[in-house]
Amino acid sequence: MTNSPQKPQKETKQYQSSKKLIKGEYKKLVKKPVKKSYRKGCLIKIFAIALLFTSGGVAIACAWISWLFIFSPDEARFFKERLPEWMNFSETNTQHPQSLEKIEKILTSQGKILGKRLSLGKNKDKSFLLPIFQKRNNCQFDCQYITQLRAYQIAPSQLFNSGWSKKYFLNSKLDITGPSESFVVAPLVNATDEIQGSNMALPLSEINQFQGKTPTQGKWFYLQGKRSTANHAIAYGHILYYNPQRSNLQFILSWTSPSGEIPEWKQVTGNKDKELVVNKTVGFEPSLQVYQVKPIKSVRNPITLKLIELKPPSLKDTSYQKALLLARSGLWTPSSRWLQFIKKQIEKPTKKSKNRKISADAQAQIDVIGLHAKLSQKQAAINWASPSQQVQVDLINGNWSKALQILDKSPDDAKEVASFLQQDNGSLWKRAIAALEVNPHRREVQAWFGLMLAAKKGEAEAVSWLKSEVSAAKVSQDNLEYIQGLLKKLKGEVVKPQVIFNHPSRIIGGAKLLSKVNPASWLKSNSQIQLQIHKNQTWYAVEVSSFHNGKQWLSSPFNSLKSDENLWNYLGLNTDPSIQITAWNPAGEQQTTSAIIQGVQQQEGKLLLLAEVKEKIFQPQQIPLALSSQALEWVEPRRITLLELYQQDPNRVKKILSQIWRSFQTYNSEKPLPKLDFQRGLELIGNWSIQEIDLTGNQKPEALMSISREAIAYLYKSLNQKPSSPKPSSQNQQSRPQSLILSDSGKVIYNDFFQNSQQSLTAIAQLLDTERFVLIVENSHRYEIKAWSAKNKRFE
């Protein structure tokens, strides 16, 4: 029997189920994804490792680059060329630091001449400026000139310095080339001269640091050279600035001074920083350039010097623009006085605008013009022996009437003046043109314009111009005859004096708008047949406060005047019938218009003038001021605080303070101020300012104080409780100020400082061709001119 193959035994159910379970779990385990938190942790570890290696690489690279910059600057050229402009310091901190002895040895071996080291900080041993000189060939005197400036900074002691051996980095260097000859001699050269100077660079032989307090924290230096001509010893050079934050030496500007003066830092505009003043005056012609330190958008060179210019005007006010026109033509003194008056009126508080201040740019222009005016006035105050020199300084200063008196002295003086006018380079001519543009009716200016025209182009040309001005109603017939007489004197002819009144009109008063005009009630001039009235005409009645009759000033009331045709001559209206009418709008802007006097009228001691204006520019509530162009000049007295004056004259301040406090008692009788000791009073109002001016003619200055109601209110408050904020000064008044004038002995000689006062001191002026000062006082309906009476000891 054969054995059949044995069949495999069947798996038990229990085994099969276990196997399936194992396979299922395996499949489930294989298919199950890795947890997200586990992956994220792995990525963070990988990123951290990469960042660690990268940071280490960057640190090693930075260290290597730093090592190259310090110890091997030539190999760092690739990096230096790719730095930003403000960081690319050429050799700044890129050379290996060296000792002073080695620096000098290397430079000397290169044939360079070393100058005296200048400090760039508080200690010369830490930072200094080293000038490098070169010697000119074939030279015997003043042969060395500056070619380069090198700024050095001490290296960190812990790295490079040991013991007494100090080492320095070269922070900055600047190659020096002098200004061109054409720039240096430009103030001496006329635009019409054929030779204007060459482009050859002139040498600079000196470098010095500006002494005293200067703007900014850096150091200011000036390079200087000298050049002599037949009549001038010129100084010229550059202005440099060292910026300690960037260790950078910066060229700012070039300068030249025909008078040989070094630029100077002065307080010109009243800002906290001084301005740089360059004197370019030639002869009698004042010329000062004033620069302000201004920031600019540059990291490496963040500052510059900006010239204060007179064009364009910083205010849109018409009167301000005319005043700047006078200044640009060289009439500094008339312009300065006009601008001071304009500023005073702009800053005068009104109901609508209580705290007004002129802009900083306008103030800068006013101060620069005032600086020129002081120089012009100083020259005009000297009595010059030469008639031509006297005429020149008077015309430059705007003293047209005084200059005409030279022609009356002798024929020889007139001939010298004629020769001088022929040689004028145009500076006086442009002054006359500007003065006529501002006021075409002023007789003295018309006369000088005609004289200049005759000297340049002949008498026939001058007479032709005069007749054309007569046709245009700018020159009167009497003025024509007067100027023709001066033309003859200019030629040396003896002229018979005229019998008629020929003095200019000098009239001061207030103006009032007229709604109706009755021609029959006004006295006409000799040349008028009938007064023509039209609908579109604007008329003002000028109530005269004071006028000059050719010999003396007369004031209202005018009871002794004869109302006849000679009154026109007596008033000077036959010579100059024009008058200026000025008022100030609520915004404080001055508005001025010209008017022509068409009639005269007397009413019970009052003298009225009928003035025709081209346009109506004033509001009914305004009180316009009427002035002849030659009536007066505005004056701005010197300001000083009581505390500053106390340091100079303690006894005087004690008297002033006593009178001020007494006035406070009467200012508010219901609530008088308590008595205080002197020191407490000085503490309270010591920063209030006063103005000093000799109004009485005793050669001693009086004290003028203008006080606002806000200042008084603050003072009352301060006496009840200690002030926590700075006390207001009188310059920051918010309402119409009230004034108090005290004599040199401390006595009150003028006072509108009382409650409900209806008068206000508007301005102080000087009557032309006199030394008398007057007060312009505004009350509720008119202006009054008050002068000091030595006999009665008061203003009247």
Side-chain angles (χ1 to χ4, degrees):
M1 169 175 210
T2 36
N3 293 327
S4 58
Q6 188 177 359
K7 292 182 180 180
Q9 295 180 351
K10 292 183 179 181
E11 297 175 349
T12 64
K13 291 182 178 180
Q14 183 179 2
Y15 176 80
Q16 289 177 354
S17 60
S18 299
K19 188 176 180 180
K20 288 179 181 179
L21 178 62
I22 292 172
K23 286 183 178 181
E25 290 295 329
Y26 176 77
K27 289 180 181 180
K28 185 177 180 181
L29 183 64
V30 172
K31 290 181 180 180
K32 185 177 181 180
V34 181
K35 291 184 178 180
K36 290 184 179 181
S37 59
Y38 176 78
R39 276 187 186 178
K40 186 176 181 180
C42 292
L43 290 175
I44 290 175
K45 290 179 181 179
I46 295 172
F47 178 75
I49 294 171
L51 182 62
L52 181 63
F53 279 103
T54 303
S55 301
V58 171
I60 294 172
C62 290
W64 176 64
I65 294 172
S66 301
W67 185 90
L68 286 179
F69 269 93
I70 297 173
F71 296 102
S72 186
D74 291 334
E75 296 182 24
R77 188 183 306 276
F78 173 82
F79 300 100
K80 291 191 294 181
E81 291 175 352
R82 284 155 178 79
L83 286 174
E85 181 182 355
W86 65 272
M87 293 180 63
N88 192 7
F89 292 119
S90 182
E91 295 182 72
T92 301
N93 289 341
T94 61
Q95 289 190 342
H96 186 72
Q98 299 167 334
S99 66
L100 181 60
E101 293 77 12
K102 188 172 183 180
I103 292 172
E104 292 177 345
K105 184 177 180 181
I106 293 174
L107 294 175
T108 304
S109 65
Q110 296 173 356
K112 297 176 180 179
I113 303 172
L114 308 185
K116 183 180 178 180
R117 291 181 294 139
L118 300 171
S119 175
L120 291 176
K122 295 182 179 180
N123 191 344
K124 191 190 297 184
D125 293 335
K126 292 186 177 180
S127 59
F128 61 86
L129 185 65
L130 182 64
I132 305 298
F133 290 82
Q134 187 173 331
K135 189 173 183 180
R136 288 183 290 180
N137 298 325
N138 302 321
C139 177
Q140 295 181 349
F141 303 101
D142 199 17
C143 300
Q144 294 183 357
Y145 65 98
I146 300 174
T147 59
Q148 191 180 74
L149 297 173
R150 302 168 72 90
Y152 288 91
Q153 178 77 32
I154 192 170
S157 58
Q158 63 271 25
L159 293 178
F160 303 102
N161 297 329
S162 61
W164 296 99
S165 177
K166 293 184 176 65
K167 295 184 179 180
Y168 298 89
F169 285 117
L170 175 64
N171 269 341
S172 177
K173 71 176 182 178
L174 186 65
D175 294 330
I176 300 299
T177 303
S180 65
E181 182 188 27
S182 59
F183 171 82
V184 171
V185 302
L188 302 174
V189 178
N190 296 323
T192 56
D193 290 351
E194 294 182 2
I195 301 176
Q196 299 286 331
S198 67
N199 292 325
M200 176 184 68
L202 298 183
L204 297 166
S205 56
E206 297 180 36
I207 179 170
N208 292 287
Q209 180 183 337
F210 283 102
Q211 300 301 317
K213 187 177 180 180
T214 57
T216 71
Q217 297 179 352
K219 297 286 185 178
W220 291 88
F221 299 90
Y222 63 90
L223 291 164
Q224 180 187 0
K226 296 179 181 178
R227 182 180 179 85
S228 297
T229 64
N231 300 316
H232 298 87
I234 309 173
Y236 61 87
H238 298 320
I239 303 296
L240 306 176
Y241 174 68
Y242 179 75
N243 183 0
Q245 281 75 28
R246 296 295 178 190
S247 301
N248 182 44
L249 188 63
Q250 176 186 358
F251 167 82
I252 300 293
L253 57 85
S254 299
W255 61 272
T256 179
S257 176
S259 59
E261 295 186 19
I262 304 300
E264 182 180 1
W265 289 100
K266 288 184 178 181
Q267 202 81 45
V268 178
T269 63
N271 293 335
K272 62 177 181 179
D273 293 331
K274 294 182 178 179
E275 287 79 23
L276 185 71
V277 180
V278 179
N279 189 352
K280 299 179 69 175
T281 299
V282 179
F284 294 130
E285 286 287 346
S287 179
L288 303 169
Q289 289 184 325
V290 182
Y291 296 88
Q292 288 181 313
V293 177
K294 294 290 185 181
I296 56 175
K297 294 181 180 179
S298 173
V299 178
R300 192 177 182 187
N301 302 323
I303 65 169
T304 188
L305 288 176
K306 183 180 179 182
L307 179 65
I308 300 176
E309 299 182 283
L310 302 182
K311 196 173 184 180
S314 296
L315 292 180
K316 295 182 179 180
D317 183 82
T318 304
S319 299
Y320 183 89
Q321 294 170 359
K322 289 182 178 180
L324 254 64
L325 172 64
L326 293 179
R328 291 196 299 268
S329 69
L331 292 169
W332 303 105
T333 299
S335 173
S336 178
R337 288 171 175 165
W338 196 358
L339 288 171
Q340 290 295 340
F341 178 71
I342 292 171
K343 177 191 173 184
K344 186 178 182 68
Q345 298 304 322
I346 288 177
E347 295 185 344
K348 179 185 289 187
T350 63
K351 293 181 180 180
K352 293 186 177 180
S353 180
K354 293 184 178 180
N355 191 11
R356 297 177 296 173
K357 206 74 176 174
I358 202 165
S359 68
D361 291 338
Q363 184 63 57
Q365 290 181 332
I366 292 173
D367 290 333
V368 168
I369 292 171
L371 192 65
H372 283 84
K374 289 180 182 177
L375 188 57
S376 178
Q377 292 166 10
K378 185 178 179 180
Q379 293 176 164
I382 301 173
N383 291 323
W384 299 90
S386 169
S388 60
Q389 288 180 328
Q390 189 65 57
V391 166
Q392 185 177 6
V393 296
D394 283 335
L395 293 181
I396 288 174
N397 201 44
N399 300 335
W400 304 95
S401 298
K402 186 179 177 183
L404 281 177
Q405 297 173 7
I406 304 296
L407 296 177
D408 295 328
K409 290 184 178 180
S410 69
D412 292 336
D413 291 347
K415 289 180 181 179
E416 183 179 333
V417 172
S419 176
F420 160 71
L421 292 178
Q422 289 175 352
Q423 299 171 5
D424 176 43
N425 59 6
S427 63
L428 299 180
W429 176 265
K430 69 178 182 181
R431 285 178 169 89
I433 292 176
L436 283 178
E437 184 174 343
V438 172
N439 183 6
H441 301 285
R442 188 171 179 181
R443 185 181 70 160
E444 283 80 358
V445 182
Q446 294 170 348
W448 276 111
F449 187 85
L451 292 171
M452 294 175 190
L453 194 59
K456 291 284 187 181
K457 299 183 179 181
E459 184 180 358
E461 187 77 16
V463 173
S464 175
W465 171 79
L466 284 169
K467 290 182 178 179
S468 67
E469 295 296 288
V470 171
S471 302
K474 294 180 180 179
V475 176
S476 66
Q477 189 65 34
D478 292 333
N479 282 359
L480 174 63
E481 296 176 6
Y482 169 73
I483 298 173
Q484 285 177 331
L486 291 177
L487 294 175
K488 293 178 181 179
K489 287 183 179 181
L490 196 67
K491 297 189 300 181
E493 297 181 14
V494 178
V495 180
K496 185 179 179 179
Q498 295 176 317
V499 180
I500 64 170
F501 292 92
N502 56 15
H503 64 274
S505 64
R506 294 178 179 175
I507 300 170
I508 304 171
K512 183 179 180 181
L513 181 66
L514 294 177
S515 57
K516 286 184 179 182
V517 175
N518 181 12
S521 63
W522 295 94
L523 177 67
K524 274 74 70 176
S525 65
N526 294 336
S527 59
Q528 289 178 322
I529 300 175
Q530 187 176 0
L531 185 62
Q532 301 293 329
I533 304 296
H534 304 289
K535 291 182 178 181
N536 296 328
Q537 288 175 303
T538 302
W539 299 91
Y540 277 87
V542 176
E543 183 177 349
V544 179
S545 298
S546 302
F547 78 93
H548 196 274
N549 64 359
K551 296 181 180 180
Q552 61 181 346
W553 281 90
L554 301 176
S555 298
S556 177
F558 305 103
N559 295 317
S560 60
L561 290 181
K562 293 182 180 180
S563 183
D564 55 20
E565 293 181 350
N566 286 330
L567 184 56
W568 277 78
N569 295 335
Y570 201 60
L571 291 168
L573 294 174
N574 65 312
T575 301
D576 185 4
S578 65
I579 198 166
Q580 300 289 323
I581 299 180
T582 299
W584 293 266
N585 61 21
E589 297 175 340
Q590 187 185 30
Q591 298 171 299
T592 302
T593 185
S594 297
I596 302 296
I597 304 301
Q598 300 287 10
V600 181
Q601 183 183 121
Q602 282 188 284
Q603 295 179 359
E604 300 177 353
K606 292 183 179 180
L607 181 60
L608 302 176
L609 307 178
L610 180 64
E612 179 189 3
V613 300
K614 295 181 179 179
E615 56 181 345
K616 179 182 176 182
I617 63 173
F618 306 124
Q619 300 299 321
Q621 66 272 18
Q622 292 176 291
I623 306 176
L625 177 65
L627 291 169
S628 297
S629 60
Q630 298 187 61
L632 49 79
E633 293 178 342
W634 306 111
V635 176
E636 183 66 20
R638 182 177 77 99
R639 287 186 178 273
I640 187 172
T641 65
L642 283 171
L643 194 58
E644 292 171 338
L645 186 61
Y646 176 70
Q647 296 171 354
Q648 302 174 12
D649 192 347
N651 292 329
R652 186 181 176 203
V653 173
K654 288 180 181 179
K655 295 178 182 178
I656 293 175
L657 201 60
S658 174
Q659 288 290 356
I660 292 174
W661 216 257
R662 192 174 301 171
S663 299
F664 288 158
Q665 310 301 316
T666 59
Y667 178 77
N668 190 346
S669 57
E670 297 179 359
K671 190 180 180 182
L673 290 174
K675 292 183 179 181
L676 289 180
D677 57 49
F678 171 74
Q679 290 299 331
R680 177 57 175 158
L682 189 63
E683 178 186 346
L684 286 170
I685 65 172
N687 67 328
W688 290 8
S689 69
I690 64 170
Q691 293 176 285
E692 289 190 310
I693 184 173
D694 181 14
L695 296 171
T696 60
N698 64 349
Q699 308 303 316
K700 296 179 181 179
E702 280 69 47
L704 164 63
M705 174 171 276
S706 297
I707 311 168
S708 68
R709 291 186 177 91
E710 286 75 17
I712 300 301
Y714 186 89
L715 186 60
Y716 272 92
K717 183 179 178 181
S718 301
L719 290 171
N720 294 329
Q721 55 185 13
K722 292 184 179 180
S724 58
S725 58
K727 295 180 286 295
S729 64
S730 58
Q731 286 95 329
N732 297 325
Q733 299 158 351
Q734 296 182 351
S735 66
R736 170 180 290 205
Q738 293 167 278
S739 300
L740 194 69
I741 300 179
L742 297 94
S743 67
D744 58 283
S745 62
K747 182 181 178 182
V748 176
I749 57 177
Y750 173 87
N751 186 11
D752 60 28
F753 179 67
F754 48 87
Q755 208 166 17
N756 301 322
S757 174
Q758 295 299 313
Q759 70 176 26
S760 174
L761 177 60
T762 299
I764 297 177
Q766 183 178 11
L767 301 178
L768 283 177
D769 297 337
T770 72
E771 296 182 355
R772 295 185 65 190
F773 292 103
V774 295
L775 309 180
I776 312 294
V777 179
E778 177 188 347
N779 55 33
S780 58
H781 63 283
R782 57 175 293 183
Y783 287 94
E784 293 179 348
I785 311 300
K786 293 182 178 290
W788 177 255
S789 171
K791 179 180 179 181
N792 299 325
K793 304 297 181 183
R794 65 184 183 186
F795 287 98
E796 54 186 26

